[in-house]
Amino acid sequence: MNTATLNSTSSMGTQAPGFFARTEAWLDARGRAAWITAMVGSYIVFWPIGLAMTAYMVINNKFSGTHSRKRCHRGSHSVHMNRSTGNAAFDTYKDETLRRLEEEQTNFEEFLERLREAKDKAEFDQFMDERGNQSKSDDSADTSH
């Protein structure tokens, strides 16, 4: 099998993405840190490649980080997670699983908050008890003089 066969067009008449397009997509998926790591690595291997990569990153605005996929934030899915797969049963399962995981995350965060509040209350009660004992001992020391 030769290279022409590997890079041949599909039955739809579209050509498969080349090495550079696949590499760019892979780096985009991993974010700005991957681009910077690749740039530094290319400087280490051969500085003209690093220079060319730096120019490419500046021209295509790869330093901004706005081109990469959005990360999951509290209470919302990334754009990548909301994309339909075309399989309705799987999409329903995925949506239900994500909803359940968000609910579990919310419940866990609420549990941690209650735990922090209980710890804070216990520490405050201990402080007040020590302060009360200290003021009692100060009062008894004052009356004994």
Side-chain angles (χ1 to χ4, degrees), residues 63-105:
F63 285 114
S64 70
T66 57
H67 65 281
S68 64
R69 67 181 173 169
K70 295 180 181 175
R71 305 270 187 246
C72 284
H73 294 290
R74 182 188 224 190
S76 67
H77 300 302
S78 69
V79 172
H80 179 70
M81 298 302 280
N82 286 334
R83 191 171 51 203
S84 174
T85 62
N87 184 328
F90 178 74
D91 288 341
T92 303
Y93 167 78
K94 180 180 71 171
D95 292 341
E96 178 61 27
T97 302
L98 289 172
R99 186 201 56 76
R100 183 181 49 81
L101 288 172
E102 283 180 353
E103 184 179 322
E104 287 180 15
Q105 179 181 2

Side-chain angles (χ1 to χ4, degrees), residues 8-77:
S8 66
T9 59
S10 67
S11 60
M12 298 297 288
T14 59
Q15 187 170 354
F19 171 76
F20 293 112
R22 287 191 315 262
T23 303
E24 181 180 12
W26 187 85
L27 288 169
D28 280 344
R30 279 141 188 86
R32 182 175 30 180
W35 276 100
I36 293 171
T37 303
M39 179 186 61
V40 170
S42 63
Y43 271 108
I44 291 170
V45 172
F46 189 58
W47 70 267
I49 296 173
L51 190 61
M53 189 161 190
T54 303
Y56 177 80
M57 290 173 66
V58 168
I59 291 169
N60 291 303
N61 203 19
K62 298 295 182 182
F63 285 114
S64 70
T66 57
H67 65 281
S68 64
R69 67 181 173 169
K70 295 180 181 175
R71 305 270 187 246
C72 284
H73 294 290
R74 182 188 224 190
S76 67
H77 300 302

Side-chain angles (χ1 to χ4, degrees), residues 88-144:
F90 178 74
D91 288 341
T92 303
Y93 167 78
K94 180 180 71 171
D95 292 341
E96 178 61 27
T97 302
L98 289 172
R99 186 201 56 76
R100 183 181 49 81
L101 288 172
E102 283 180 353
E103 184 179 322
E104 287 180 15
Q105 179 181 2
T106 302
N107 290 341
F108 182 68
E109 288 171 352
E110 289 170 356
F111 167 75
L112 288 178
E113 185 62 30
R114 288 191 310 269
L115 197 62
R116 284 186 203 104
E117 288 174 5
K119 181 182 175 193
D120 289 347
K121 183 177 180 341
E123 288 174 351
F124 179 74
D125 289 344
Q126 180 183 0
F127 169 75
M128 292 303 288
D129 289 343
E130 289 173 0
R131 184 173 173 235
N133 291 339
Q134 183 182 15
S135 66
K136 286 180 187 176
S137 65
D138 288 344
D139 290 340
S140 64
D142 289 339
T143 57
S144 63

